Amino acid sequence: MLNRPAEDDSSSEEGSQELEESIKADPLPAEPPSHGSTTSYKKSLRLSSDQIAKLKLQDGPNDVVFSITTQYQGTCRCAGTIYLWDWNDKIVISDIDGTITKSDALGQILPQLGKDWTHQGIAKLYHSINENGYKFLYCSARAIGMADMTRGYLHWVNDKGTILPRGPLMLSPSSLFSAFHREVIEKKPEKFKIECLNDIKNLFAPSKQPFYAAFGNRPNDVYAYMQVGVPDCRIFTVNPKGELIQERTKGNKSSYHRLSELVEHVFPLLSKEQNSAFACPEFSSFCYWRDPIPEVDLDELA
């Protein structure tokens, strides 16, 4: 189960009250007593399994509202989304700056000025991967204060009607300047990404590897993805020119458009209920546009 801001603020008050009541009903256990009779407590924003069960979440995104009441500011509300995924879901990790955008620094600035600074073909590729049953997780070293702006950019990306698939957005819980310095100046975003992705990986069974593939734009991203178990054959990095490189075969340069043509091979269909990833499989080149199988006399083969 993952969190990120929601697309709209139309969440119901009942969901907010239910969340608040569930937290109050089951307080988190206190830490073991220390120094005799002294008892210490630890704050946590994570719900227990029983508290999560009381929310009655549905598969996929669930819009919720968090609220806090203070004496001077009254009640403040923050909309968000809780994602409920299956234990056997396959996750594709995607960086944002330099991966969806064409550069790290300009990718944060130019979209705010209305300029499209997105790699061509990435929306179509991600949409095709999502259609084959894979979940998307957007992980960036941007500061948590840029959540609204980053979420707005992901919703704004549109390639001739094709948009990016919806997924959790994980941002660094630090200030804007420290996150910008770590991402652009130091160029060490892997510190946050390794901790964040390992935390998400621990939500799944120890024997399961939830991360299927990953997209980045730097060697630091490759290092972080390999640390959390993503196989190098499904780690892709893109440069400002839009050239896509597979980590295992670095000499072979491709593109988002080219990978879209091979998406059925690299990201095969996961759903067992469907027999093809085509919209109309009965008219595919395999089923329709081919010569009929010749009739064979089985008696002559005996």
Side-chain angles (χ1 to χ4, degrees):
M1 183 184 67
L2 308 173
N3 287 337
R4 81 164 177 86
E7 291 183 351
D8 50 48
D9 299 336
S10 60
S11 302
S12 63
E13 291 289 340
E14 297 179 357
S16 176
Q17 294 177 358
E18 186 177 359
L19 176 62
E20 183 178 358
E21 291 175 357
S22 66
I23 296 177
K24 290 181 179 179
D26 300 321
L28 293 176
E31 291 183 347
S34 59
H35 302 291
S37 59
T38 303
T39 303
S40 60
Y41 296 87
K42 182 179 180 180
K43 283 186 176 181
S44 176
L45 297 177
R46 304 194 178 194
L47 304 180
S48 64
S49 298
D50 294 336
Q51 292 171 340
I52 294 175
K54 290 183 178 181
L55 298 180
K56 299 178 181 179
L57 301 176
Q58 303 296 325
D59 290 338
N62 297 264
D63 293 342
V64 296
V65 173
F66 301 91
S67 63
I68 182 172
T69 303
T70 61
Q71 182 178 359
Y72 300 101
Q73 296 181 340
T75 301
C76 299
R77 292 179 174 84
C78 178
T81 303
I82 299 178
Y83 283 81
L84 179 62
W85 287 347
D86 291 332
W87 63 274
N88 59 347
D89 279 335
K90 296 298 182 181
I91 302 174
V92 177
I93 309 168
S94 175
D95 182 38
I96 297 177
D97 298 314
T99 304
I100 298 179
T101 63
K102 293 182 181 179
S103 68
D104 290 329
L106 295 179
Q108 300 185 30
I109 300 174
L110 292 182
Q112 306 307 313
L113 304 177
K115 183 175 179 58
D116 187 4
W117 204 244
T118 305
H119 280 295
Q120 297 299 318
I122 190 170
K124 180 181 178 181
L125 172 63
Y126 282 14
H127 177 76
S128 300
I129 296 174
N130 182 250
E131 286 291 309
N132 281 5
Y134 298 85
K135 310 294 184 181
F136 268 85
L137 169 67
Y138 301 98
C139 184
S140 174
R142 290 186 179 188
I144 191 67
M146 301 178 67
D148 288 340
M149 184 177 69
T150 305
R151 183 185 71 245
Y153 169 72
L154 294 177
H155 297 333
W156 173 76
V157 174
N158 191 315
D159 184 7
K160 299 179 181 179
T162 302
I163 60 176
L164 295 174
R166 190 178 179 182
L169 173 62
M170 313 304 295
L171 301 178
S172 176
S174 57
S175 65
L176 174 61
F177 292 102
S178 61
F180 186 85
H181 184 270
R182 180 174 60 247
E183 173 82 6
V184 179
I185 307 302
E186 292 184 353
K187 298 184 178 180
K188 294 182 178 179
E190 72 276 5
K191 296 180 180 179
F192 159 73
K193 290 183 179 180
I194 293 176
E195 295 178 0
C196 176
L197 295 175
N198 273 325
D199 205 7
I200 296 173
K201 182 179 179 180
N202 292 334
L203 297 175
F204 293 81
S207 59
K208 295 295 295 183
Q209 169 53 266
F211 302 130
Y212 183 83
F215 292 86
N217 68 307
R218 287 189 183 146
N220 313 63
D221 296 331
V222 175
Y223 174 77
Y225 298 150
M226 294 185 68
Q227 289 297 309
V228 298
V230 183
D232 59 353
C233 61
R234 291 194 292 269
I235 296 178
F236 302 90
T237 55
V238 63
N239 58 28
K241 298 180 181 179
E243 297 173 338
L244 193 65
I245 302 174
Q246 186 186 37
E247 182 60 23
R248 177 172 292 184
T249 57
K250 296 183 179 180
N252 184 17
K253 295 182 180 180
S254 182
S255 65
Y256 286 129
H257 287 291
R258 177 56 179 165
L259 188 59
S260 297
E261 299 174 357
L262 303 175
V263 69
E264 308 299 336
H265 302 279
V266 184
F267 301 91
L269 191 69
L270 293 180
S271 176
K272 296 181 179 179
E273 298 178 357
Q274 303 176 2
N275 56 5
S276 175
F278 298 101
C280 300
E282 63 272 19
F283 297 108
S284 66
S285 59
F286 181 78
C287 298
Y288 188 80
W289 300 104
R290 64 174 183 174
D291 296 331
I293 299 177
E295 297 183 0
V296 178
D297 188 354
L298 297 180
D299 294 333
E300 293 182 358
L301 299 178

